[in-house]
Amino acid sequence: MKEISLESSVYELVTAHPEIQRVLFDLGLKDIQKPGMLTTVGRYMTIPKGAKMKKVDLQVIIDQLEQLGFTIKE
């Protein structure tokens, strides 16, 4: 299993595990696909911050990532 931390930035997570980008996009964090957003805002944005900002249930994101084989370190 792949272990990820919710304290890591979205940029770090997507760089290490590109499949995370599609999951976040599909669950409502649409800005992740905009040119430049990942390399700018993504450097300080975490999944919990993005979920709160976009009003997406964090547990839904965690469940989806776990289905893809990730272990979430909180």
Side-chain angles (χ1 to χ4, degrees), residues 35-50:
M37 287 298 278
L38 185 60
T39 56
T40 56
V41 177
R43 289 189 183 272
Y44 66 86
M45 184 67 63
T46 62
I47 289 176
K49 286 181 188 177

Side-chain angles (χ1 to χ4, degrees), residues 47-60:
I47 289 176
K49 286 181 188 177
K52 185 176 180 180
M53 183 182 296
K54 295 295 183 177
K55 297 180 173 70
V56 175
D57 185 0
L58 179 59
Q59 191 58 51
V60 172

Side-chain angles (χ1 to χ4, degrees), residues 1-68:
M1 288 207 137
K2 301 171 264 187
E3 185 175 88
I4 59 172
S5 170
L6 293 180
E7 294 178 10
S8 297
S9 72
V10 172
Y11 175 81
E12 293 169 332
L13 294 172
V14 170
T15 300
H17 309 284
E19 64 271 33
I20 291 176
Q21 185 171 9
R22 185 67 196 182
V23 171
L24 296 177
F25 178 81
D26 289 345
L27 292 174
L29 282 75
K30 305 289 185 192
D31 292 339
I32 199 167
Q33 295 284 354
K34 290 182 180 176
M37 287 298 278
L38 185 60
T39 56
T40 56
V41 177
R43 289 189 183 272
Y44 66 86
M45 184 67 63
T46 62
I47 289 176
K49 286 181 188 177
K52 185 176 180 180
M53 183 182 296
K54 295 295 183 177
K55 297 180 173 70
V56 175
D57 185 0
L58 179 59
Q59 191 58 51
V60 172
I61 296 172
I62 291 171
D63 292 345
Q64 193 72 13
L65 291 171
E66 287 175 342
Q67 286 180 355
L68 288 175

